[in-house]
Amino acid sequence: MTAPLLTIKNLTVTFPTPKGPVEVVRGISFSLGRERLGIVGESGSGKSMTGRSILKLIRPPGRVTADEMVFDGIDLMGLRERRMRELRGARISMVMQDPKFSLNPVMTVGEQIGEALQTHRPMPRRQLRARVLEMLEAVRINEPERVADLYPHEVSGGMGQRVMIAMMLIPEPDLLIADEPTSALDVSVQAQVLDIIDELVRRNGMGLILISHDLGLVARYCDRILVMNGGAIVEECAARDLDKARHPYTRGLLAAMPRMDEDREELPVLDRTAWAAT
Amino acid sequence: MAFEPSPADSSARMSAGVMAGQAARGVAGIARFVLVVAATFLGLLAITFFIGRVVPIDPVLAVVGDRATAAVYEAARERMGLDRPLLVQFFSYVGDVLTGNLGQSISTGRAVVDDLGRFFPATLEMATVGILIGVALGVPMGVTAARRQGSWADQVIRVLGLLGYSVPAFWLGLVGLAVFYAGLGWVAGPGRIDIFYEGLVEPVTGIYLIDSLMAGEWEVFWNAASHLLLPASILGFFSLAYIARMTRSFMLDQLSQEYVTTARVKGVPERRVIWRHAFYPIRIQLITVIGLSYASLLEGSVMIETVFSWPGIGRYLTVALLNADMNAVLGATLVIGSVFILINKVSDVLYRILDPRARR
Amino acid sequence: MSAVRDWLLDDSPSSRLQASLGRAWRSFSALMRNPLAVAGALIIVVLIVMAVFAPWIAPHSAIGQDLANRLAPPSALHWMGTDELGRDIFSRVVYGSRITLMIVTMVAVISAPIGLLVGAVSGYFGGWTDRVLMGVTDIFLSMPKLILALAFVAALGPGIENAIIAIAITAWPVYARIARAETITFRDSEFIAAVQLQGASSVRVILRHVLPLCASSTIIRVTLDMAGIILTAAGLGFLGLGAQPPLPEWGAMISSGRNFILDQWWVATMPGFAIIAVSLGFCFLGDGLRDVLDPKQRDGR
Ligand SMILES: Nc1ncnc2c1ncn2[C@@H]1O[C@H](COP(=O)(O)OP(=O)(O)OP(=O)(O)O)[C@@H](O)[C@H]1O
Ligand SMILES: [Mg+2]
């Protein structure tokens, strides 16, 4: 087996609060190859914090510590901010949750996508524009010429998220972190957006970390799954072995999922007592 | 001294500005905006008219003297139109103002309009240099404070901001004169220019810095600049305090926006993140803030001009006040008020017109 | 003591009094944890103590002249030196606190209720009432306050009372705006509807239910405005339009020290420090109050 793309050992994220420091991620470890890894967990379980610490974008006063955080042979923990910036976008990128808030309202869509590329590979305007249009097409936007000149408030949510994906993939990174890329979207466009991510990730042979609270979705699009709860990883398994999961929290999540052949009157509520004792 | 726009005013004005801005789109909108401005001017006129009426000094007595007979008194009263109903008097007052008739000043003996035209450029010059200083220092300071929230730089800027609310301008002017003029000799003293240079340059704009440059008189220019430096810096301090505080709070809000994080995720250099992604969207809000601050500097120049014997409209006003020269007082109030209102309304509207989110 | 605290902090208060006292206590202790607010409160307490006990605190008379001792620099005998008539500046500053305190209190007492009433009526009734009242308010808001105050004093004649009236006239519109905004947020709420259903008249609803709810934001605003009021009053005094000599008003004192600023700096400088200290005190306290009572407005200035 080749060296993994990303190795994380004992990652901890701490926030000071009036009542003392709080660990929102508590010493998690995992590694990732050029594969699709899903991270699931309920709201507040520390998924986004995990994603952002890989990019070292936790804002003060938050603090990140890890025994080891190595990306493609580069020690991220010891890396200077300058060098880190060269990695961001170019080699590790992140699709943000809500296009409504994550796109700059006073820059056109085309400018924002172009900036992602221009930052790392300066090129003439003409060529840049061509690449942007090409990328917009790759995320299945119909009239790239027109859309490139729109402001974010002029595009729909689904389109905004595809713009975001275009922006994050245009420098051809090796690792894409997608933090709930579809939770702000209508169910009807969710699958469409995820299919686009899936296709581009496969085509470029990248690694993907897909963060979501939707177990079914993650199971469908990922090879491997991490289940997080309260800042810790409680379960790690291959996606197809999900139904063999042992941890009571995972079982609870599974049980709470609606099924196609539903015959239950009421979905069971997650029973926290089962694992809270552990 | 309502030296800076207080926060509630400015937010109230901003909301009024949003309305005005929305109104300013479309022809009907422009008409409505003009209507709002006109109504505000009429309000100003009503207030000055009212002030003119409640003066305890009898305007008729001032003309005929207090030994006039009852008949002479009545005749004068009639001639001045004071026997007509108040509303009629008000409209004739509005008519007078619109045709530029503001009456005679008893202290200078000239028409108030002419006086105002002569004194206004001096005020404009000082306030403009003041606001330039305020913007040039205040905006970078506000941005720095927001970037390093909680650092010592942030604390210093915060304290400066609060001092802007608590230091009397006239006091700062006096202390400034004592230290920088008398003590250190870095700047020239009160007045606009040394007597020696007076009249050397033909007034064209009335703004000495420009007039002397146009005439190529460098010596006059430097002398005028050295007189201007201290009072303008003091005005600049007050606008700096306000502008830095507002910039800081806008920037703090911006820096917590998701799209700023997006820019960082893309690996955009920090300078560009700050200026292109965080600062750029607020520049229009800042224009409004700067407009408000500029307007209040024009107002605040009353105090500074008194301290620095600066022959501007503020000084004209205070001299008139002490001589109970009501025509001059009301005239100066009208001019300062009008400019104040105009700057306010225009910067309010700019806000909405320039923002791409509101354009379309 | 701790029993009292427990009673105050009880999660399920058994009476209205207990609930409101508890809330007041929580705000108070939050305020006391904010160092700037404590500093501000202390300054204002000192101001009040100075005003109340002026005759005991001031070592000399505020108006007694001592021409042999003119323009003496600060010394052990005269902490802040003496002025052009040999009067002790420190004593005058102490007595001056009475004037300052009176001015800010009077302005607040006059302008806040006017503004509150205009705003509450405007917000409560809406429609044309609202449009007319807010039109007038906005016109006043767009006026330069200092200039208007000057013009009013010019018309009314110099003096403290007229200065107070002039400042109050220019101060109310802000409170009207705030009260209106607050009123609108709860005008259509269930509890107002409930009171109306019980047959309460509009006057009663506004006085008993609407105004109290606008109180806290108005108090914050008034505290923050105090600095501006003090500065305006001092400015009027400086121009000779406010308090008249020999009253030890701080602005007027600076004005009389103006002629000596180059050689006897203390005459004009000392009263200025008093003005700055008191204004800062109100700013600090206002900031702290806002953080405690109205967190959503934070960083708004
Ligand atoms: N600035 C902060 N100070 C203190 N705690 C914080 C801060 N930011 C985040 N947290 C805490 O960190 C925890 C993890 O947050 P995170 O955003 O990673 O959750 P998540 O799993 O992504 O949830 P969601 O599904 O809602 O996005 C949360 O409990 C949150 O309260
Ligand atoms: Mg999240």
Side-chain angles (χ1 to χ4, degrees):
Chain A
M1 192 179 150
T2 52
L5 191 58
L6 178 72
T7 316
I8 287 179
K9 290 217 174 89
N10 199 17
L11 171 73
T12 303
V13 180
T14 322
F15 277 97
T17 65
K19 296 192 195 81
V22 173
E23 289 188 357
V24 298
V25 175
R26 320 167 173 236
I28 64 171
S29 309
F30 63 90
S31 71
L32 171 84
R34 294 193 180 265
E35 59 178 332
R36 300 168 305 167
L37 176 75
I39 301 183
V40 273
E42 57 184 348
S43 193
S45 54
K47 308 181 297 287
S48 295
M49 290 298 151
T50 307
R52 288 187 183 204
S53 19
I54 298 172
L55 283 162
K56 297 222 292 186
L57 279 178
I58 303 277
R59 261 186 300 156
R63 259 169 43 87
V64 181
T65 57
D67 293 349
E68 196 183 313
M69 193 153 78
V70 177
F71 170 77
D72 198 18
I74 306 167
D75 174 24
L76 296 184
M77 290 312 288
L79 210 58
R80 288 285 203 61
E81 176 60 21
R82 242 189 93 80
R83 300 267 298 112
M84 192 65 216
R85 209 152 48 222
E86 288 165 11
L87 281 186
R88 283 188 204 126
R91 306 210 52 199
I92 311 176
S93 206
M94 180 160 80
V95 172
M96 318 266 291
Q97 187 162 350
D98 192 338
K100 203 156 76 235
F101 300 112
S102 311
L103 294 173
N104 189 325
V106 297
M107 275 168 92
T108 63
V109 160
E111 266 181 281
Q112 296 187 55
I113 300 176
E115 184 186 39
L117 188 57
Q118 185 83 7
T119 301
H120 300 288
R121 251 166 286 158
M123 59 176 69
R125 288 176 65 104
R126 271 259 185 82
Q127 197 182 340
L128 186 68
R129 174 94 184 167
R131 288 287 308 273
V132 168
L133 296 182
E134 199 180 297
M135 198 64 220
L136 278 173
E137 226 158 317
V139 293
R140 294 185 212 149
I141 281 181
N142 283 333
E143 300 167 81
E145 284 277 2
R146 188 180 67 87
V147 174
D149 293 330
L150 294 181
Y151 285 97
H153 69 269
E154 298 167 321
V155 303
S156 68
M159 228 146 108
Q161 198 56 299
R162 282 180 283 163
V163 166
M164 172 63 82
I165 294 168
M167 183 159 77
M168 291 312 175
L169 289 184
I170 198 170
E172 297 171 347
D174 300 288
L175 172 60
L176 181 71
I177 303 165
D179 187 357
E180 310 206 24
T182 57
S183 64
L185 305 182
D186 281 348
V187 188
S188 53
V189 285
Q190 282 189 358
Q192 204 186 352
V193 167
L194 283 168
D195 285 340
I196 294 174
I197 294 184
D198 193 51
E199 183 196 315
L200 295 173
V201 164
R202 280 169 193 271
R203 195 170 77 192
N204 301 350
M206 305 159 46
L208 171 72
I209 297 181
L210 178 63
I211 295 175
S212 175
H213 50 250
D214 185 341
L215 202 53
L217 196 125
V218 168
R220 186 137 33 96
Y221 286 95
C222 296
D223 310 313
R224 214 148 53 84
I225 294 179
L226 299 179
V227 180
M228 281 187 77
N229 181 236
I233 296 178
V234 294
E235 178 104 38
E236 179 172 359
C237 64
R240 58 181 173 284
D241 299 336
L242 194 58
D243 41 354
K244 297 191 199 101
R246 288 177 316 271
H247 195 273
Y249 177 70
T250 320
R251 296 231 58 92
L253 283 181
L254 278 170
M257 246 169 36
R259 285 190 301 259
M260 286 303 274
D261 51 344
E262 192 65 80
D263 53 5
R264 292 174 292 187
E265 282 286 308
E266 223 174 88
L267 292 176
V269 172
L270 199 54
D271 177 13
R272 285 155 200 280
T273 50
W275 76 91
T278 60
Chain B
M1 97 203 36
F3 208 91
E4 3 190 312
S6 65
D9 299 10
S10 45
S11 61
R13 284 190 199 138
M14 273 190 201
S15 69
V18 168
M19 275 151 39
Q22 278 160 351
R25 272 176 275 141
V27 179
I30 293 172
R32 258 183 64 189
F33 174 70
V34 170
L35 215 67
V36 168
V37 175
T40 313
F41 277 121
L42 212 60
L44 176 64
L45 284 171
I47 293 173
T48 49
F49 174 75
F50 173 74
I51 293 174
R53 289 297 130 191
V54 295
V55 197
I57 313 164
D58 187 337
V60 182
L61 273 188
V63 172
V64 298
D66 47 6
R67 258 172 296 166
T69 61
V72 171
Y73 180 91
E74 269 314 313
R77 194 169 129 85
E78 224 162 282
R79 201 175 59 240
M80 294 168 76
L82 295 177
D83 54 340
R84 289 177 294 164
L86 267 187
L87 206 62
V88 176
Q89 289 187 39
F90 177 62
F91 282 117
S92 86
Y93 171 69
V94 172
D96 280 349
V97 170
L98 289 181
T99 52
N101 177 12
L102 297 175
Q104 297 284 123
S105 155
I106 45 174
S107 34
T108 65
R110 283 183 300 254
V112 170
V113 177
D114 296 342
D115 279 346
L116 293 174
R118 284 158 51 132
F119 286 98
F120 191 65
T123 301
L124 194 68
E125 182 174 36
M126 187 164 83
T128 306
V129 175
I131 194 76
L132 290 179
I133 294 175
V135 172
L137 297 178
V139 170
M141 280 168 80
V143 171
T144 307
R147 283 180 63 178
R148 315 223 179 104
Q149 195 189 359
S151 70
W152 64 266
D154 185 23
Q155 302 296 345
V156 169
I157 290 166
R158 193 187 145 103
V159 170
L160 275 183
L162 287 177
L163 282 178
Y165 269 115
S166 345
V167 177
F170 51 91
W171 181 84
L172 198 61
L174 287 175
V175 172
L177 272 179
V179 174
F180 295 106
Y181 165 61
L184 300 168
W186 289 358
V187 296
R192 263 186 110 180
I193 200 154
D194 287 353
I195 294 181
F196 177 72
Y197 294 104
E198 207 144 344
L200 269 187
V201 170
E202 187 66 26
V204 182
T205 59
I207 293 172
Y208 283 8
L209 291 186
I210 296 180
D211 286 349
S212 59
L213 276 185
M214 288 198 317
E217 293 276 2
W218 282 99
E219 240 177 285
V220 180
F221 176 82
W222 287 118
N223 186 260
S226 116
H227 277 276
L228 181 61
L229 183 62
L230 187 57
S233 303
I234 287 171
L235 284 184
F237 165 73
F238 288 98
S239 77
L240 169 161
Y242 176 64
I243 291 174
R245 189 173 47 235
M246 295 307 284
T247 308
R248 175 180 182 275
S249 92
F250 291 158
M251 277 300 277
L252 278 181
D253 185 46
Q254 284 293 305
L255 290 175
S256 66
Q257 294 290 331
E258 278 293 283
Y259 56 79
V260 173
T261 309
T262 306
R264 294 208 165 103
V265 169
K266 291 197 281 188
V268 173
E270 189 62 16
R271 273 178 80 98
R272 192 171 153 88
V273 171
I274 296 293
W275 293 104
R276 185 70 179 87
H277 289 272
F279 183 77
Y280 192 72
I282 62 167
R283 75 204 186 288
I284 299 160
Q285 276 160 286
L286 275 183
I287 292 178
T288 306
V289 164
I290 292 167
L292 293 177
S293 176
Y294 189 41
S296 58
L297 285 198
L298 284 175
E299 185 188 17
S301 60
V302 172
M303 290 295 168
I304 292 292
E305 287 179 4
T306 307
V307 171
F308 285 88
S309 309
W310 192 263
I313 263 197
R315 175 139 181 81
Y316 180 70
L317 174 63
T318 48
V319 170
L321 280 172
L322 297 177
N323 295 329
D325 183 355
M326 273 324 273
N327 281 341
V329 170
L330 295 181
T333 307
L334 264 183
V335 168
I336 299 179
S338 307
V339 176
F340 189 90
I341 292 171
L342 208 65
I343 295 178
N344 260 313
K345 296 285 177 203
V346 167
S347 52
D348 275 350
V349 175
L350 273 184
Y351 175 63
R352 269 307 166 106
I353 294 182
L354 292 181
D355 195 319
R357 278 164 291 191
R359 236 167 13 198
R360 293 226 249 183
Chain C
M1 193 60 218
S2 80
V4 175
R5 243 194 85 194
D6 288 344
W7 181 78
L8 283 170
L9 295 179
D10 198 338
D11 281 333
S12 44
S14 51
S15 70
R16 188 183 255 231
L17 177 72
Q18 184 182 1
S20 50
L21 280 180
R23 202 164 47 234
W25 169 255
R26 271 190 209 110
S27 303
F28 178 74
S29 51
L31 197 61
M32 287 300 117
R33 279 195 296 273
N34 179 336
L36 278 189
V38 173
L42 273 181
I43 292 175
I44 290 156
V45 168
V46 169
L47 174 77
I48 294 173
V49 168
M50 257 183 11
V52 172
F53 298 103
W56 292 276
I57 295 174
H60 301 267
S61 150
I63 45 174
Q65 304 181 0
D66 177 7
L67 292 179
N69 222 340
R70 297 176 66 232
L71 299 171
S75 64
L77 187 60
H78 299 287
W79 294 351
M80 296 184 175
T82 62
D83 67 7
E84 73 279 11
L85 295 173
R87 297 173 295 197
D88 179 51
I89 295 179
F90 176 68
S91 305
R92 285 177 67 74
V93 166
V94 170
Y95 276 98
S97 64
R98 292 183 159 184
I99 299 176
T100 301
L101 198 62
M102 182 189 70
I103 292 177
V104 293
T105 315
M106 290 302 292
V107 170
V109 166
I110 297 173
S111 62
I114 295 179
L116 268 174
L117 205 63
V118 170
V121 167
S122 188
Y124 182 76
F125 291 109
W128 275 104
T129 320
D130 185 33
R131 259 182 243 172
V132 171
L133 286 178
M134 281 303 115
V136 174
T137 306
D138 278 348
I139 287 173
F140 269 90
L141 261 184
S142 355
M143 299 294 156
K145 283 194 197 169
L146 175 65
I147 305 290
L148 264 200
L150 285 178
F152 271 113
V153 178
L156 299 168
I160 293 192
E161 297 82 8
N162 291 343
I164 291 173
I165 294 173
I167 298 174
I169 288 176
T170 59
W172 66 268
V174 179
Y175 311 128
R177 268 277 167 207
I178 290 175
R180 174 177 179 270
E182 292 268 321
T183 307
I184 284 180
T185 59
F186 54 74
R187 178 184 58 197
D188 300 320
S189 65
E190 301 285 322
F191 85 95
I192 294 286
V195 181
Q196 284 166 336
L197 277 181
Q198 286 168 14
S201 66
S202 298
V203 176
R204 195 181 151 82
V205 175
I206 290 179
L207 288 183
R208 293 264 311 158
H209 300 277
V210 174
L211 286 184
L213 285 170
C214 302
S216 75
S217 44
T218 308
I219 290 175
I220 296 169
R221 192 62 243 170
V222 169
T223 315
L224 286 170
D225 278 353
M226 285 298 182
I229 293 170
I230 293 171
L231 293 191
T232 309
L236 290 175
F238 179 75
L239 294 176
L241 297 171
Q244 298 296 307
L247 281 183
E249 197 272 328
W250 295 341
M253 287 170 70
I254 297 178
S255 174
S256 69
R258 220 182 129 175
N259 301 328
F260 317 102
I261 184 72
L262 302 186
D263 299 312
Q264 287 88 23
W265 53 269
W266 55 89
V267 184
T269 315
M270 292 302 181
F273 286 125
I275 296 177
I276 296 172
V278 174
S279 304
L280 268 184
F282 278 110
C283 281
F284 288 164
L285 183 66
D287 263 359
L289 275 178
R290 183 183 43 202
D291 288 354
V292 171
L293 296 179
D294 194 3
K296 67 177 181 293
Q297 272 192 20
R298 247 182 221 185
D299 288 317
R301 62 189 292 181

